[in-house]
Amino acid sequence: MNAPGEGNTVGDGGGALSRRGTSHWAGEPVPVLERRWGVPLVEAHRTLGSTNDRLRELAGEGAPPFTVVVAEEQTAGRGRTGRAWHSPPGGIWMSVLLPEERTGRPPLTPLLVGLAVGRAIGDARPVLDPRIKWPNDVLVDGRKVCGILCEGAAGAGTVTGIGINVAGSMKELPAELRSRTATLEEVGGAAPDRPLLAGRVLRQLRELLDPPPPRIDAELGAELKALDALAGRRVVTSEGVRGRGAGIAPDGALLVETDAGDRIRLVAGSVRLCAER
Ligand code: BTN
């Protein structure tokens, strides 16, 4: 869904793909973004329903891995479990076509995408000290600054939607979400440059997921342990089980020590951090 006034075709780098959108994103020309980000194809939009939906269309037309769709604003941004994702101008609303995992239950891609964003934010602003909340949120000061939505594309790869709240405030969100959500500008005092930050994310995605690893090795495991927002913290699972985060297993499962004294593995769903320590 293009905004009125957007061109229909941008360049010819996409071959037979039905490329649409605008010529710039965040003030940078699309060909410059493709070169700096080291990706085969960027499609930029001023306004789009959801970058994930548009990338799935491109994947169906044969778009190559690491094709990127970005929008200044989404009118129907989607989050996990069918929630709406608030996507006003000023954020990074981006979808990337990642190579599909052949094995993996739980899939490692969402966790490693979270790690890629955490690394990128930490590299851009070390003082922010980002944490990963399993399976794939990125928190700064306990508040969510990034959400990730991975969706299959019928054998054409994994459509990976990344939403980073960069500039402005979350004041339009409902009150109960506002206290748990922030922009990087709110937590860091200044908004990072969006094209640079998106480029750091894409570089980390290539390093971590091209190709997707079969499991988390010792080095990655140590990094995830250091960044784990849930380790030792009181949590409640989406099934209502209460306990404490006990780390991430090499296959990507979340470990929880329950209040009943059991150690359980979560391979799907999510957990909520409890206020009490
Ligand atoms: C979540 O935390 O619930 C996941 C949020 C994912 C939001 C991103 S923004 C870019 C992409 N397009 C969408 O419609 N959603 C994802």
Side-chain angles (χ1 to χ4, degrees):
M1 187 206 316
N2 283 354
E6 287 194 336
N8 278 335
T9 310
V10 180
D12 59 3
L17 301 173
S18 65
R19 288 183 75 178
R20 304 204 300 249
T22 52
S23 57
H24 287 63
W25 180 76
E28 296 287 351
V30 164
V32 171
L33 293 174
E34 286 172 344
R35 202 180 56 245
R36 289 206 192 133
W37 291 352
V39 298
L41 196 151
V42 172
E43 190 181 273
H45 293 259
R46 260 194 296 275
T47 304
L48 196 62
S50 160
T51 54
N52 266 28
D53 291 346
R54 177 60 190 144
L55 182 59
R56 184 176 303 96
E57 284 172 14
L58 288 170
E61 294 172 12
F66 287 91
T67 293
V68 174
V69 176
V70 276
E72 289 290 353
E73 174 181 30
Q74 294 184 118
T75 53
R78 280 184 285 113
R80 296 177 69 224
T81 62
R83 284 185 302 242
W85 181 260
H86 183 57
S87 325
I92 295 177
W93 321 126
M94 167 166 95
S95 297
V96 188
L97 189 60
L98 293 178
E100 199 161 349
E101 278 184 65
R102 298 278 163 231
T103 55
R105 176 86 183 126
L108 289 180
T109 297
L111 187 62
L112 295 179
V113 176
L115 178 60
V117 174
R119 280 183 181 179
I121 292 174
D123 287 348
R125 288 278 163 77
V127 64
L128 290 181
D129 194 21
R131 299 288 149 136
I132 316 291
K133 176 177 170 284
W134 187 95
N136 54 10
D137 289 343
V138 181
L139 312 183
V140 173
D141 288 344
R143 295 166 76 188
K144 178 164 167 171
V145 294
C146 169
I148 291 153
L149 178 66
C150 294
E151 300 175 313
T158 301
V159 170
T160 304
I162 300 172
I164 308 179
N165 305 324
V166 178
S169 81
M170 294 280 109
K171 62 179 184 299
E172 282 170 33
L173 284 180
E176 83 278 4
L177 279 182
R178 211 182 308 139
S179 59
R180 291 189 273 124
T181 309
T183 64
L184 292 174
E185 184 176 22
E186 284 175 314
V187 289
D193 179 87
R194 286 185 296 149
L196 280 180
L197 182 58
R200 287 180 191 274
V201 172
L202 289 162
R203 193 174 327 129
Q204 293 299 338
L205 289 177
R206 275 197 306 275
E207 193 174 313
L208 289 165
L209 283 154
D210 191 17
R215 57 196 283 111
I216 296 167
D217 66 17
E219 199 180 336
L220 272 183
E223 187 178 359
L224 283 168
K225 186 173 179 188
L227 298 178
D228 185 355
L230 301 175
R233 298 284 310 271
R234 299 275 310 152
V235 296
V236 54
T237 73
S238 35
E239 270 78 48
V241 178
R242 291 181 172 271
R244 282 190 190 276
I248 295 166
D251 68 354
L254 179 72
L255 305 174
V256 176
E257 297 279 359
T258 72
D259 289 352
D262 301 321
R263 174 172 279 225
I264 59 169
R265 283 168 44 84
L266 292 192
V267 296
S270 61
V271 293
R272 196 161 48 75
L273 268 166
C274 302
E276 75 268 23
R277 295 248 157 194

